[in-house]
Amino acid sequence: MLKQLYIKNFTLIDELDIALYPGFSVITGETGAGKSIILGAIGLLLGQRADSKTIKQGADKCIIEAHFDLSRYHLQDLFEENEIEYDATDTIVRRELTAAGKSRAFINDTPVALSMLKDLGERLVDVHSQHQNLLLNKQDFQLSVVDIIAKDQQELADYEQTYSQLQAANSQLQQLKDDIEQNRQNQDFLQFQYEELAAAKLVEDEQEELEQQSETMSHAEDIKTALYEADHALYNENYGGVSQVKAALHALSGISKVLPKTDELVERLNSCHIELKDIADEVSSLLEDTEFDPAELDRINERLDRLYELQKKYHAETVAELIEQRDQLKLKLSNIENSDEALAELEAQCQQLTAKSRQQADRLTKLRQKAAKEIEQQLNKRLVPLGMPHVRFQVSITAGELGRNGQDNVSFLFSANTSTPLQPVAQVASGGEIARVMLSLKAMISGAVKLPTIIFDEIDTGVSGKIAEKMAEMMQEMGDLDRQVISITHLPQIAALGSHHYKVSKEETSQGTTSRMQELTQEERINEIAQMLSGSDITQAAIQNAKELLKL
């Protein structure tokens, strides 16, 4: 329930701070006084797009803030999911808009995205304007009304889950069919590519090893010459490094007893001799093993040329990438061979999901057909007192293809008299008749679900007299059912039945035109309704009539 509304620097409003109450309240005021401004401000709180032009001229920022009592609407989970502090009895929703075009939204002082504000707003306030009457022309709205009365939310959720699975399976099936068709068209080419790569007998690290061998063999003569020179330098009998170190070792060993200081040198030379002899042996071994085989080099280079050719052909950087392409080709060919089996399996899955969807859709249809009869009874009952004694209202449910909401096409059919055949309500009902139908639907829906705050914006267009009085009684009844109902009206019959009466007025000040809203006292209310009855010149008869309407 909306408890308090605060508006500052919004269009013609300097500052407004007003309390609102449960039950049925009315807002009146002359055309152009600013009633639409109040609705515009509430719209911003419900997540509508903001325009910096709505800021009062000369102000830097406008603020719109509302206090709500949510204690009866079970919204704690929504707050917890979005990490917003929850206060059931005083939830504060605020929207700020700067002249620079920046917009900020807060829920209980926590900054939130506009989408969050809109999500919460849809659960807090239902604004019914003449524009919303156009919903009667939309099948989705008509179906949603039936679903609300059918109380089929769980069945609908179960169906939507199955239908979503069916759509995914159908998508996979079509993709598989497309892949199979394309692959079969390319099967010969894929087979050729696979056989070419398979025949290459690719080994992942082969290229690096072959490149190293090719590099080595290409310099075989230089290598052999260097090894021969090193071997000769180490093993030459006269001046080879090994023999020279050995001779030095022998000489020093002979004097170590008479010159002890040479003991350390002997040990070091002995280590050098061992290490040098080991190096010399390895050089000799490499010299013996190094052979230049032109035929082997040709073989290696031919293999490398083949690998480079395949990499270029298949746009690969490495042999590993060629191996990956080969394996993918093998998998594609395998899928082609096994495609009939995979296709049959997926088709069976689609058939099962289709059958399950139809069963769940049939269950929805039965619930909706039962609800349709209840809607027809309630609407015919509600519309007769609203000046349509011969009204006929029918909910037509016809079978269609499976869709997001089931298989039902819903249409509200209407006739205001017995001589006119039933036709879609939006096509044959007048503006006043549509307003009465929508009011009756809202009254019916409010008995099925907890609509927190309902605001009717001039729903009385096209009606007057007793019919207006009956519409007011219907709104009053909705307010008595623990709802907060607010009606913006030009009709005294409706204004008189409100538990609280607010007036929006416009006045000229030294700073310009200002719009204000105030709750009327009993005396002010008598004068306001009398003015609505007689115009600017309030007569004593109008005052008396106003008192009668107010039952004073």
Side-chain angles (χ1 to χ4, degrees):
M1 185 192 79
L2 179 58
K3 301 192 303 178
Q4 192 87 12
L5 180 64
Y6 176 79
I7 303 172
K8 184 174 183 179
N9 295 330
F10 184 70
T11 65
L12 298 180
I13 297 175
D14 285 327
E15 189 170 28
L16 170 69
D17 191 3
I18 196 158
L20 296 154
Y21 304 93
F24 179 44
S25 301
V26 296
I27 299 174
T28 61
E30 295 179 2
T31 301
K35 299 186 294 298
S36 61
I37 296 175
I38 306 295
L39 281 181
I42 293 174
L44 287 180
L45 287 177
L46 303 184
Q48 293 179 6
R49 292 177 63 88
D51 186 345
S52 60
K53 294 178 182 178
T54 58
I55 299 177
K56 186 173 179 62
Q57 189 173 5
D60 296 327
K61 179 173 71 172
C62 79
I63 299 173
I64 302 162
E65 183 176 283
H67 293 245
F68 290 91
D69 183 345
L70 309 182
S71 54
R72 306 191 58 183
Y73 302 113
H74 311 293
L75 294 175
Q76 187 169 357
D77 289 347
L78 177 67
F79 281 72
E80 291 178 353
E81 289 169 9
N82 291 277
E83 299 180 349
I84 299 172
E85 181 183 353
Y86 179 67
D87 187 336
T89 59
D90 189 26
T91 288
I92 304 172
V93 179
R94 187 169 78 255
R95 186 88 180 268
E96 297 180 357
L97 181 63
T98 69
K102 293 183 179 180
S103 173
R104 297 193 301 170
F106 303 85
I107 299 175
N108 289 336
D109 288 329
T110 300
V112 295
L114 204 59
S115 57
M116 174 61 195
L117 198 66
K118 188 173 183 179
D119 188 15
L120 178 62
E122 288 176 349
R123 304 170 190 235
L124 298 182
V125 181
D126 175 27
V127 178
H128 182 95
S129 62
Q130 293 183 44
H131 172 72
Q132 201 178 33
N133 289 337
L134 298 175
L135 289 173
L136 273 180
N137 200 28
K138 296 184 180 297
Q139 191 177 95
D140 286 348
F141 170 75
Q142 298 178 23
L143 179 60
S144 68
V145 170
V146 174
D147 283 334
I148 287 171
I149 302 304
K151 297 180 180 179
D152 59 9
Q153 287 76 18
Q154 186 58 54
E155 288 81 5
L156 184 57
D158 292 342
Y159 169 81
E160 287 175 344
Q161 182 179 12
T162 304
Y163 183 70
S164 178
Q165 294 172 349
L166 173 60
Q167 284 185 305
N170 281 331
S171 179
Q172 292 174 8
L173 178 61
Q174 187 57 51
Q175 185 62 51
L176 179 59
K177 288 179 177 178
D178 292 343
D179 291 345
I180 290 172
E181 179 63 26
Q182 185 177 1
N183 288 338
R184 281 180 174 165
Q185 291 176 358
N186 299 329
Q187 186 172 8
D188 292 341
F189 180 61
L190 295 174
Q191 186 69 40
F192 168 77
Q193 287 184 313
Y194 170 72
E195 290 176 355
E196 183 176 43
L197 291 175
K201 297 181 180 179
L202 302 167
V203 179
E204 189 163 335
D205 297 325
E206 176 187 18
Q207 182 176 337
E208 290 78 7
E209 294 176 3
L210 290 175
E211 287 174 340
Q212 182 59 53
Q213 291 178 25
S214 176
E215 181 71 14
T216 300
M217 294 183 72
S218 296
H219 297 82
E221 290 298 328
D222 296 336
I223 293 170
K224 198 168 184 70
T225 298
L227 288 172
Y228 175 79
E229 290 176 354
D231 181 69
H232 187 69
L234 290 168
Y235 266 134
N236 186 279
E237 292 182 4
N238 296 321
Y239 55 82
V242 175
S243 59
Q244 292 294 323
V245 172
K246 185 177 181 181
L249 177 63
H250 180 71
L252 291 177
S253 296
I255 63 171
S256 61
K257 290 181 180 180
V258 295
L259 187 61
K261 290 182 178 180
T262 59
D263 286 344
E264 183 183 350
L265 295 174
V266 169
E267 289 180 9
R268 290 167 65 188
L269 274 173
N270 188 49
S271 296
C272 288
H273 179 259
I274 293 171
E275 179 67 17
L276 197 58
K277 190 175 184 305
D278 186 59
I279 292 172
D281 289 342
E282 286 194 31
V283 170
S284 296
S285 178
L286 285 172
L287 181 60
E288 290 178 5
D289 293 341
T290 301
E291 295 292 339
F292 175 64
D293 185 353
E296 178 64 12
L297 180 59
D298 289 343
R299 186 194 68 77
I300 289 173
N301 286 335
E302 286 177 4
R303 177 61 175 170
L304 285 171
D305 288 342
R306 180 57 176 159
L307 293 178
Y308 297 150
E309 179 186 358
L310 290 173
Q311 288 173 11
K312 182 178 180 181
K313 183 175 182 178
Y314 290 94
H315 306 289
E317 296 289 335
T318 63
V319 173
E321 292 182 16
L322 287 174
I323 292 172
E324 184 180 356
Q325 290 193 44
R326 179 199 65 193
D327 294 344
Q328 288 177 349
L329 288 166
K330 184 178 181 180
L331 179 62
K332 285 184 178 181
L333 290 168
S334 176
N335 288 339
I336 292 173
E337 293 175 2
N338 301 322
S339 59
D340 290 342
E341 181 180 342
L343 193 63
E345 182 178 342
L346 199 49
E347 285 176 337
Q349 182 182 351
C350 289
Q351 289 173 359
Q352 291 172 1
L353 287 170
T354 299
K356 185 177 179 180
S357 295
R358 291 199 182 283
Q359 289 176 353
Q360 292 175 327
D362 288 341
R363 195 175 301 124
L364 278 172
T365 299
K366 290 177 182 177
L367 291 171
R368 288 165 174 168
Q369 288 173 337
K370 182 179 178 182
K373 295 185 183 301
E374 181 180 347
I375 293 171
E376 290 170 356
Q377 292 173 357
Q378 285 205 41
L379 262 290
N380 286 313
K381 181 180 177 181
R382 291 178 183 276
L383 289 171
V384 168
L386 297 181
M388 290 185 272
H390 305 296
V391 68
R392 286 179 294 153
F393 187 92
Q394 181 178 318
V395 180
S396 170
I397 299 179
T398 57
E401 297 295 325
L402 288 175
R404 182 173 54 87
N405 296 312
Q407 61 187 0
D408 302 316
N409 295 319
V410 174
S411 179
F412 289 170
L413 305 179
F414 173 86
S415 174
N417 50 66
T418 56
S419 61
T420 305
L422 287 164
Q423 295 184 58
V425 61
Q427 296 179 16
V428 297
S430 66
E433 289 169 341
I434 286 179
R436 283 173 273 176
V437 170
M438 284 299 291
L439 175 61
S440 299
L441 284 172
K442 285 289 173 75
M444 178 186 66
I445 291 172
S446 69
V449 295
K450 290 182 180 292
L451 291 176
T453 297
I454 307 174
I455 301 176
F456 290 106
D457 180 19
E458 299 184 1
I459 197 171
D460 49 38
T461 300
V463 298
S464 60
K466 287 290 184 182
I467 296 174
E469 187 177 341
K470 292 295 182 182
M471 292 177 73
E473 289 173 355
M474 190 175 293
M475 287 185 275
Q476 186 182 49
E477 178 188 344
M478 292 169 65
D480 291 341
L481 290 173
D482 229 358
R483 302 286 183 273
Q484 183 183 42
V485 179
I486 300 171
S487 177
I488 298 173
T489 182
H490 287 293
L491 297 181
Q493 295 90 341
I494 293 179
L497 286 187
S499 300
H500 297 270
H501 189 156
Y502 302 87
K503 180 177 180 179
V504 178
S505 58
K506 189 166 60 175
E507 60 184 34
E508 298 295 333
T509 68
S510 57
Q511 285 77 33
T513 305
T514 298
S515 185
R516 57 193 296 267
M517 175 177 169
Q518 64 179 33
E519 185 177 1
L520 301 181
T521 64
Q522 180 170 296
E523 190 64 31
E524 289 171 334
R525 193 174 184 189
I526 292 171
N527 289 332
E528 172 69 5
I529 293 176
Q531 186 174 1
M532 294 172 73
L533 287 165
S534 65
S536 56
D537 295 328
I538 301 176
T539 64
Q540 191 60 41
I543 291 177
Q544 185 59 39
N545 196 359
K547 289 181 178 180
E548 291 175 2
L549 286 175
L550 289 166
K551 298 180 180 177
L552 296 177

